[in-house]
Amino acid sequence: GEVLLEFGELQDAITVAKHAANLVKVTEDPRMEAQLAVLQGSIALARGLRREAEQYLLHACERAEQARDFLAHERALLLLAELELQEADPHGAIGYLRQALDVATATGNDELRTRLHGRIARLYQSLHYFREAEEHYRAAATIAKEIESLPLQARALRGLAAVLDASGRVEEALATYREALALFEQLGDRRATLALHYNAALLLLDQGNDGEARYHLRLAYELALALGDDELAASLRELLGPDLRRSPVASEPADELLSESPLIPHRHEELPRDIP
């Protein structure tokens, strides 16, 4: 049923749910009841019936916990978090995601733990709760490294760098930008690499380190051209100055430690929002 919903086949999913409901009445199996309630909640969400969806999903959590159906429990909690976000309640979403994290931890689902830490971190970041965001980004990066998932590790470090940057912790932010850059370059993700070069350059310019900033700006400019992002390339060309050929880009970035100072207000936002 949920697969049908993913492909937009709402009516077929409703038909499947009706047949499943008849079967559950006969079997009285709490596991099947939990799975049915998850499907019914998904259908209600797709139809915009939020209160009905919440009732189904809370019932799914109750029955899944009773049946020790961890997958159904996790799915219901994730859908409840989505519902809270639709209601513009990030605090409520965090609560359900933390419950899902507890379930994933109990079952040893490390990949899901990584993704959940990342999602929780982004919500805290959106609320400017930087200490909490940092905690969850670091947890996501640590677990991702343990399970050898470079994409998840890179995304966690990218988020951590942004939080450190916004917190005014310049030295740590730059070190983390560089660490994330190395991973995204290894992965061949040019869009993320471009954005990180840009963000690092803005932070360096704010600190008066023009030489290293121009190194990152030039690399970002070349990536923008390669990706066909003419508008961003034009902005970067303006930052670099009229004579790009004289830009000092041959040397590697310096490793000097930079002192803290107020950050400029904006950073480039070309990165994906979520750890999928």
Side-chain angles (χ1 to χ4, degrees):
E2 286 194 77
V3 173
L4 291 170
L5 280 177
E6 289 179 6
F7 285 94
E9 302 294 339
L10 177 59
Q11 195 56 51
D12 288 342
I14 292 172
T15 301
V16 169
K18 288 179 179 178
H19 288 304
N22 291 330
L23 183 60
V24 167
K25 287 179 182 178
V26 175
T27 62
E28 297 183 350
D29 182 344
R31 183 183 297 271
M32 291 183 64
E33 189 176 347
Q35 294 169 357
L36 171 62
V38 170
L39 174 57
Q40 290 170 323
S42 300
I43 291 171
L45 265 179
R47 297 174 65 189
L49 304 174
R50 295 178 181 175
R51 295 281 68 81
E52 184 177 324
E54 182 180 30
Q55 292 172 3
Y56 279 127
L57 294 170
L58 289 173
H59 180 65
C61 288
E62 179 183 339
R63 302 303 277 168
E65 189 170 5
Q66 178 184 350
R68 297 185 62 79
D69 186 338
F70 300 113
L71 289 177
H73 198 181
E74 288 168 353
R75 180 62 178 153
L77 289 167
L78 292 175
L79 288 169
L80 283 165
E82 180 182 332
L83 179 60
E84 293 297 324
L85 289 176
Q86 290 183 10
E87 297 284 351
D89 183 1
H91 294 282
I94 288 170
Y96 284 122
L97 290 173
R98 291 180 73 96
Q99 289 183 55
L101 179 58
D102 289 341
V103 176
T105 300
T107 58
N109 189 338
D110 289 336
E111 181 175 339
L112 181 58
R113 286 173 62 211
T114 306
R115 295 179 186 278
L116 287 169
H117 275 299
R119 292 183 67 180
I120 293 168
R122 276 187 299 283
L123 287 173
Y124 276 130
Q125 184 179 358
S126 72
L127 295 168
H128 291 186
Y129 290 5
F130 295 135
R131 181 178 61 80
E132 292 83 355
E134 177 186 351
E135 175 187 343
H136 285 280
Y137 277 132
R138 289 193 185 279
T142 298
I143 300 168
K145 185 175 182 179
E146 290 172 354
I147 64 175
E148 299 182 346
S149 174
L150 285 185
L152 293 180
Q153 185 183 359
R155 293 170 190 173
L157 289 172
R158 177 189 63 201
L160 177 60
V163 166
L164 294 170
D165 188 337
S167 301
R169 293 158 63 182
V170 176
E171 297 170 12
E172 294 172 88
L174 286 171
T176 309
Y177 275 133
R178 292 169 186 146
E179 192 175 355
L181 268 169
L183 292 181
F184 277 115
E185 287 172 350
Q186 185 177 344
L187 291 166
D189 188 334
R190 294 189 297 174
R191 177 64 63 179
T193 301
L194 184 161
L196 285 165
H197 277 304
Y198 186 91
N199 287 350
L202 293 182
L203 181 54
L204 288 160
L205 284 173
D206 192 50
Q207 299 303 304
N209 189 335
D210 293 350
E212 188 176 349
R214 288 176 69 81
Y215 168 86
H216 287 287
L217 285 172
R218 180 58 182 265
L219 292 177
Y221 171 75
E222 292 173 352
L223 283 167
L225 288 178
L227 290 166
D229 193 335
D230 296 334
E231 183 178 353
L232 179 57
S235 298
L236 291 165
R237 187 186 304 114
E238 184 177 348
L239 282 171
L240 280 163
D243 191 354
L244 286 174
R245 292 171 299 176
R246 295 183 183 176
S247 299
V249 298
S251 61
E252 289 296 317
D255 290 328
E256 61 185 300
L257 298 179
L258 304 176
S259 60
E260 293 188 4
S261 73
L263 298 178
I264 56 178
H266 300 295
R267 296 282 183 258
H268 188 52
E269 294 294 340
E270 286 291 329
L271 300 178
R273 289 180 54 210
D274 203 7
I275 295 178

